[in-house]
Amino acid sequence: MENVGIVGIGWYGFSTNVHDLSFREMMFEAAQRAFYDAGGMNPREQVDAFISCQEDFWEGISISDEFAPDPVGGAMRPTMTVAGDGLQGLAHGFMLINSGVADVVVVESHAKPSDILTFPEIVELAMDPVYVREAKIPNYHFIAGLDATKFMHRTGVSREDLAEVVIKNRASGLKTGRAPHASLLSKEDVLSQEAVVYPLTRVDIARPVDGAVVVVLASETFARKFNDTPIWITGIGFATDNSNLELARLGDALYTRKASSLAFSMARLESPLKVNGLFVDDRYSYKELQHVEALGVTNVAEKFREGYFHEGSYLPVNPKGGHLAKGYPLEASGLSLVLDAVEYMREGASSAIVASWRGIPTFTGGVAVMQR
Amino acid sequence: MKTNLKFRRVAAIGAGMTPFRRRMLETPQEMAWEASRRALDEAGLELRDIDCVVIGSAPDAFDGVHMKGEYLAHGAGGVMRPSSRVYVGGATGVMTAIAGWYHVASGMCKKVLAVAEEKMSTGRPHPQAVFRYIWDPITEKPLNPNLIWIFAMEMHRYMFVNKVSKEEIALVSVKNKRNAASNPYAQLGGEITVDDVLRSEVLVWPVQLLDVSPVSDGAAAMVFVDGDIARRYTDTPIWVEGVGWTLDNTSWPNRELAYPRYLENAARMAYRMAGIERPQKEIDVVEPYDPFDYKELHHLEGLMLAKRGEAPLLLKEGFFDKDGDIPSSPSGGLLGVGNPIAAAGLMKVISIYWQLKGTAGKMQVKRPVHTGVAQAWGDLMQASTVMVMRN
């Protein structure tokens, strides 16, 4: 398969409440920045297909796909929606280019959780209506609590380790302009917090954030028309482990295992230790270590305690702060990690892996291997 | 649009559907599985043979489940493999097939299961209520429009610009319900007359009850495989030769409603890929999207199978009948088979697939067919998806 280059990327928001712009205006701003980043391209003439990633219930609009084309320049063009995480959209863009139907594809995703008044109720609607929803769960974080406990029991990761993840990521976020939840915390600050659902406290749980991200993809033939130093996606995969909570095997990110095996074989990458950085979903502190483990890194607890994943060490994980510092922009979460990875590689690193997750209550995620 | 044909050949080798009914007792997951099982059976495959799953479903609010793709993954066989949901409103059904095509054509997967499902019966008080929230929240929602209103505007505009009468349009309903009588999956097949349509209840003038497709539950599934391995499973693979899709802008009030320009774009993309230069001469059978009877005529024109405003005349002459020059909706279409939105779109592709394979049974058209086109339409009268297949 042909490599696909990221030739432009733009973002807007990453604020807890973008009160002065609608989601469509945020999409437009992010798209403008992405097209500027891709050498000032004209989307009306130079883009072959557009993909938007969104879900109706997050938008509060039925058939929210109707609003996809205008802000990104996709009207009267092949535009479609992938109802999933931005990284799944990226994979669809990758496929459109490799199928020969397009040379340049724009992938967009956005989130405006500040408009959602009943966030936990919306999450509850994603649960099985027969088996799970009827249980009237008071707090959807309980799924993460179960998952975390099982993961910690299996791998020996301790509550202190989770606190260290929180400290590392929230501090790393101070280096970017996109991290409203970045802060300098001490271990006591984290450990003294009351548990929301054991073993997770308020600071272990990332918060939703408003944001839009637009990525411009181009085939090998076309990439250098727009950018001298494209970031290549050499492998990409996504997978669903299970869609039913009652049948899921908790404690292990099987979706990341499956997705990474697809992406690594496509990229001919033998081991995740051979890249310069990992950008993994850390909506809950334990998820960072769980995803790193599922990418194929063994003994995560020991490695983490040795400082393996800290910045400046062998394999920095979320050196831009991850979701704990930035918040997670719903379906744009995967693209926000891609954005971090692209920035990181433009600063000099030569390769990175991105691993996304769709959040509670799903068992779906994607993995992309990127090289300069 | 680049369509340089470097892609791998992709074949459809199996298809399956549940019956379309007003109210199915199965859950959405169960319906998705029933259709998937039938498609796998026809292809001679098991679920373990499938590399990737593509899911299509229209508004989440119908099934009342957020992240419906995740929920359906279980029934559609999308567990422990790449599984994703594509979405372009009412045009989702054919988009699901298109996504199945590019999963294979890109080299990402060898064998793909494309599944579309819709359960509208759970909508209360009526599934139409889901459409109360499809509008621009600031400029349109406060007016509380109804979907049938805006289609009434489109129908009126089509009739006015092309000087078409209600009688001429009613012929579509008569034809499709007659065709559906020989479709074992159909919900509303039967012999009706133009008079029946004209005497049916007026919903929003000029739309009457028999001008509209029913509310339905149903699921449909297809198996697409890499062309290199297709003949391992069947002697008669049906080839996907062209795909196209287009979204117009959101502001439907500014649009000329008499002609679907976005459909022409999508059709041109698909025809160019399939090497079709004279659609009316080269296409043997067509399944245009017909949630309303006028939409079939509208879409036949958009697909360039009739000149603008000429489709009603050709219909009257029998050009689009089952034994006509280009049989249109030989399955019975949405008007006859039912309209579980995404599943109805994929049903259109399946109908063409069965026609080209020669296994459509009583639905089989009289003359030999080699090139077929399936099309779907959706969003705020702005989306169209087209697929060209050959045997």
Side-chain angles (χ1 to χ4, degrees), chain A residues 3-303:
Chain A
N3 289 340
V4 168
I6 295 178
V7 296
I9 193 159
W11 59 275
Y12 187 86
F14 289 94
S15 154
T16 50
N17 185 0
V18 175
H19 56 85
D20 46 352
L21 263 66
S22 71
F23 76 91
R24 284 192 265 178
E25 289 162 330
M26 283 166 47
M27 286 165 77
F28 177 77
E29 290 293 339
Q32 288 294 307
R33 294 177 185 192
F35 299 143
Y36 181 75
D37 192 40
M41 75 190 312
N42 178 356
R44 301 294 294 153
E45 287 173 5
Q46 291 175 299
V47 177
D48 298 321
F50 298 80
I51 296 175
S52 173
C53 304
Q54 52 185 339
E55 279 282 0
D56 279 5
F57 281 27
W58 291 140
E59 307 294 327
I61 295 173
S62 225
I63 325 186
S64 50
D65 167 59
E66 298 158 350
F67 300 91
D70 302 19
V72 295
M76 288 303 278
R77 314 294 299 282
T79 302
M80 62 175 283
T81 293
V82 174
D85 180 70
L87 207 67
Q88 284 177 309
L90 213 60
H92 279 251
F94 187 89
M95 288 190 269
L96 285 180
I97 289 174
N98 269 288
S99 67
V101 83
D103 266 316
V104 184
V105 178
V106 166
V107 182
E108 179 277 336
S109 189
H110 60 269
K112 203 134 192 295
S114 64
D115 279 352
I116 304 176
L117 302 177
T118 52
F119 198 89
E121 285 82 355
I122 299 283
V123 174
E124 196 182 308
L125 284 171
M127 298 179 192
D128 186 287
V130 180
Y131 297 110
V132 185
R133 220 187 283 171
E134 283 304 303
K136 307 269 182 245
I137 295 147
N139 182 350
Y140 66 84
H141 296 303
F142 92 98
I143 300 174
L146 290 175
D147 194 23
T149 310
K150 197 165 173 196
F151 169 70
M152 289 161 73
H153 178 71
R154 184 171 59 77
T155 55
V157 168
S158 67
R159 178 72 197 97
E160 282 73 26
D161 294 333
L162 299 189
E164 188 55 37
V165 171
V166 176
I167 294 163
K168 170 177 80 72
N169 288 3
R170 291 198 188 248
S172 301
L174 290 169
K175 280 173 279 178
T176 81
R178 289 193 297 279
H181 301 294
S183 56
L184 283 176
L185 297 173
S186 70
K187 214 162 207 170
E188 288 68 45
D189 292 335
V190 181
L191 292 175
S192 62
Q193 298 278 331
E194 201 180 322
V196 174
V197 171
Y198 180 82
L200 306 166
T201 69
R202 230 157 41 93
V203 289
D204 284 272
I205 302 173
R207 296 185 200 177
V209 70
D210 292 358
V213 185
V214 173
V215 181
V216 185
L217 300 176
S219 64
E220 272 179 27
T221 329
F222 275 68
R224 289 206 163 75
K225 283 181 102 150
F226 305 109
N227 195 322
D228 292 336
T229 53
I231 306 286
W232 299 104
I233 300 174
T234 54
I236 196 159
F238 56 96
T240 298
D241 159 16
N242 209 316
S243 61
N244 287 20
L245 172 65
E246 64 278 15
L247 300 174
R249 193 175 95 186
L250 297 170
D252 196 355
L254 289 178
Y255 49 89
T256 306
R257 288 191 192 275
K258 179 77 188 167
S260 60
S261 76
L262 291 169
F264 291 180
S265 68
M266 199 186 288
R268 296 192 177 83
L269 182 73
E270 294 151 18
S271 159
L273 302 178
K274 296 202 167 176
V275 300
N276 303 130
L278 301 181
F279 295 81
V280 301
D281 192 288
D282 60 336
R283 261 171 241 223
Y284 297 95
S285 51
Y286 79 96
K287 271 284 174 191
E288 172 164 310
L289 297 174
Q290 193 187 50
H291 286 140
V292 169
E293 192 211 22
L295 284 173
V297 179
T298 52
N299 301 327
V300 279
E302 290 79 32
K303 285 201 175 79

